[in-house]
Amino acid sequence: MNGIIEISGIEKEYRMGKITVPALRGIDLTIMQGEFVAIMGPSGSGKSTLMHILGCLDTPTSGDYFLDGEKISAMKKSKLAAIRNSKIGFVFQTFNLLPHLNVQKNVELPLMYSGVSPRKRAARAREVLSDVGLGDRLRHKPSELSGGQRQRVAIARALVNNPAIIFADEPTGNLDSVSGSDILTIFSNLHAKGHTIVMVTHDSAVATRASTRVNIVDGLIG
Amino acid sequence: MAISIKESIVAGVTDFWSRKIRSAVTILGILLGTMSIIVVLSLVNGIYSTTTAWMTERGGLTKIAIDNNREYDNAQNLPEYFTLQEIELIKSLIPEATAVNPQMSSWLSMSYRDKKENGLLMGVYPDYALVEEWTADRGRFINDFDVNQSADVVVIGTKIRDELFGSKNPLGQFITINDRRLQVIGIMEHKFLKNNGIGNANALGWMNRRALIPLSTMIHKGTGQDHIEELTVKAASPEEAIDLKYKLEAILLNLRAGQPVFRIESNMEQAEEMQKNFQTMRIIIFFISLVSLFVAGIVISNIMLATVQERTREIGIRLAVGARRTDIFIQIVVQTIIIFIIGGFIGVVVGLSLLSVVSGYLGQPIIAARWVIITAVASTLCVGAITGIFPALKACNLDPIKALHYE
C-alpha cells in the first residue's frame, strides 16, 4: 500500500555566506491516506523546514518526495504553486488571513487561483464556513473575530479546495486553551471523516490527538 | 488554472479604494502629465492653424510677392521699381502664371463732402482680385476697360465706406483723393481674421482701409511716372508656386545686371518653413511632457515598491494558497495600470475642459485633435506599464516562506 506522502533521503542545507547549515539530514517518512500525524521536536530541530518541504513551499537539497503519486522534488516553481493550490491546505499559527478581505473572500482565495467561477466560489466558501461553525460571520473582517474564530476561518480556507492533505503549523500556538481545544476537536473530526492531517507542534498534549507521532531531533527522525 | 485579468482588476480596484490618499496623489501626477500633453500640443496646433488661416486670407499658398530688397545695398543705383514695359516683358515670360498684378500704393487722405479719412490708395490691375483672392461684393471690381481708359473709378474697402458714407449707399458717388474726383464703382468684401491675442481686434483690419484704382489712372493722372514698386503673381498650384518663384528670380536678376535688387517671397515656401518649425516645436513639447509623465511614473513606481514591501506577507499568503508568480505579477501590473487609466482619463477630461476655457479667453476655438488625445493616452499607458513592471517583478520573486514570516 502506497502512502499519500513518501519521502526518502530528504536533506536540506541553508547557505549563510560561506557556512552551510544542515537543517534536515536524510529523512525517510511515509504518511498513509487518512492518517493524523504530529511532527514534534524542539525549536531548531528542523520540523518547520520539513513541513515547508512537505507543503511544497520549499524544495529539498537532495532526496525524493512523492505526494499523491507525483514526484514533487523535481518540479518547477510554477508547478509547485498548482500543487499547493489543488492538493494542499495550510493552517498557520498566526492565521495568515488577509485583513482587508472579509471572511468569505478569505476562504474563496484558493478557489480564485484555481479558476473557479465567482458564484461557485461563494457557494463553496459558505458551505465550508458553516461546517466550521462560522456560517453567520461571512461578511466580518478578520479583525472583528476572536483568535479561535480566525483559526476556524483559516481551517475553512484550507479545506475549501478539497485538498489531499492538510498541514497545520502550531495551529493552537496563538490561542487560549479553550479555543485551542475547540480547534483540535475540529481537526479530530476532520480526521474521523477521513482527511489526512500533518500537524507540527512542540506541545505533547496537542500531539496526543494525533494517530501517529514523529519526533525530529537535529534534522533526523529520532 | 490562473487568476483572470478581471479578478486582477477587481483586486486592483479594491486595493485602490483602500488607499485613498495615496491613490489620489499618484493620480494627480498622472493627470497633470496627460493634461499637459493635450493642452500644449493643442495650443501649438491652434497657433499653427491660425497662421495658416492668415496665409489663406492673404492670397493663399499660390501667391508670390515681389518688392524691393531692403537688405541689398544698391551702390550702383539700379532702379528698385518696374516700368510698365518691364511688367509686360515679365508677364510674357511667365505664361504659366494664372494672374499677374503690378501695383503702386500711397497713403493718402480721402474725402467725401465734409468727411475725411486716411487710407491706402493702390493702383492695380484687374488681376489684383485673383492674386489676393479678394474682390468687390457690391458693385464691381476694376476691369480691363478701366485700365485702358485710365478711368476715374475707385473700389473702396469697408472701413473707408463706413467713415465716409456711414449708412449711405456709396455706389455712384464721387470721392476726392489728391484733388481728383473718383467715382465709387464697388465695395470690397469685408476682411476679417480674429486676432490671436487679446480682445476682438481684426488682424486684417488694415486691408479694409484700401482704395483701389486702375494702375494706369494712378500713373497717368497721379505721379506721372511708371515706378511700380510691387508685383504679385499667382501660380496654378502651391507646388508650381515654388518653381515659378525660382523662374522669377532668374528673370529679375537678368533685368537688373545680376543684382538682387528685388525680394521674392512665396507663401508656399513660407508655409513649408513654418510647417517644419511647428513640427520641431511639437516634438520638443511632446518630449518635455513625456519626461514629466515619466517623473510621475518613477514616483508611482516607488510608491508601488513600498506597497509591495508592505504587502509582503499578503503576497506570501497568496503564494501559499496557490497563486503562481505570474498571478502576482499580473495583479501588481494591473494595479499600476488601473491608476494610470484613471489618472489618464481624468487628465483627458481636465485637459479638454482647460482647452475650452483657454479657447474662450482667446476668443477662438482650440480643438484637441484625435491624434493628440490618442498620443496622450497611449504615452500615459506605456509609462504606466513600464513603471509597473519593476515593483511587480519584485513582488513575484518573493520567497513564500520568508514572505509568510515577514513582520
Side-chain angles (χ1 to χ4, degrees), chain B residues 191-238:
Chain B
K191 274 279 183 188
F192 184 79
L193 182 72
K194 206 164 222 330
N195 214 340
N196 191 16
I198 313 105
N200 294 314
N202 179 358
L204 293 172
W206 49 276
M207 287 183 81
N208 298 324
R209 281 178 176 273
R210 287 183 172 180
L212 306 157
I213 61 170
L215 181 66
S216 51
T217 312
M218 184 114 169
I219 293 170
H220 303 313
K221 298 176 179 175
T223 57
Q225 286 178 311
D226 55 349
H227 289 182
I228 299 156
E229 307 102 342
E230 283 178 79
L231 176 64
T232 47
V233 176
K234 191 102 171 150
S237 69

Side-chain angles (χ1 to χ4, degrees), chain A residues 31-197:
Chain A
I31 295 171
M32 306 306 287
Q33 172 79 46
E35 233 181 322
F36 184 172
V37 179
I39 297 176
M40 297 194 65
S43 59
S45 59
K47 61 182 192 302
S48 290
T49 305
L50 179 61
M51 199 181 92
H52 291 150
I53 289 170
L54 293 179
C56 300
L57 286 168
D58 206 351
T59 46
T61 313
S62 63
D64 283 332
Y65 173 18
F66 289 88
L67 171 66
D68 210 10
E70 287 193 75
K71 188 170 182 180
I72 303 294
S73 38
M75 274 183 188
K76 287 184 174 173
K77 285 181 175 176
S78 58
K79 194 79 193 350
L80 284 180
I83 294 284
R84 285 199 295 272
N85 187 256
S86 60
K87 294 195 186 295
I88 294 171
F90 279 109
V91 178
F92 299 98
Q93 180 177 359
T94 52
F95 323 129
N96 279 337
L97 301 174
L98 296 186
H100 58 279
L101 296 183
N102 67 29
V103 164
Q104 185 184 322
K105 292 283 175 198
N106 262 291
V107 175
E108 284 182 26
L109 204 61
L111 295 172
M112 184 173 94
Y113 288 113
S114 53
V116 177
S117 75
R119 187 180 294 177
K120 284 186 184 165
R121 260 173 8 212
R124 173 70 184 146
R126 282 197 290 269
E127 185 187 331
V128 230
L129 278 165
S130 68
D131 284 351
V132 297
L134 287 175
D136 56 345
R137 295 280 192 278
L138 302 177
R139 303 268 170 255
H140 286 61
K141 290 279 173 71
S143 58
E144 295 160 353
L145 301 178
S146 72
Q149 286 172 324
R150 287 184 214 182
Q151 197 59 301
R152 280 193 269 162
V153 176
I155 292 171
R157 183 180 64 190
L159 289 170
V160 76
N161 251 355
N162 285 319
I165 187 159
I166 296 165
F167 288 99
D169 187 359
E170 305 274 9
T172 57
N174 273 19
L175 301 175
D176 60 77
S177 57
V178 177
S179 310
S181 171
D182 284 350
I183 294 299
L184 289 174
T185 304
I186 292 176
F187 277 113
S188 297
N189 292 341
L190 288 171
H191 176 224
K193 284 184 194 166
H195 282 277
T196 311
I197 300 163

Side-chain angles (χ1 to χ4, degrees), chain B residues 350-391:
Chain B
V350 173
L352 293 181
S353 334
L354 195 66
L355 271 185
S356 72
V357 172
V358 173
S359 296
Y361 179 71
L362 293 182
Q364 66 177 54
I366 298 171
I367 295 147
R370 190 176 298 169
W371 70 264
V372 169
I373 298 175
I374 291 171
T375 308
V377 170
S379 15
T380 305
L381 291 186
C382 283
V383 173
I386 292 168
T387 53
I389 283 172
F390 190 56

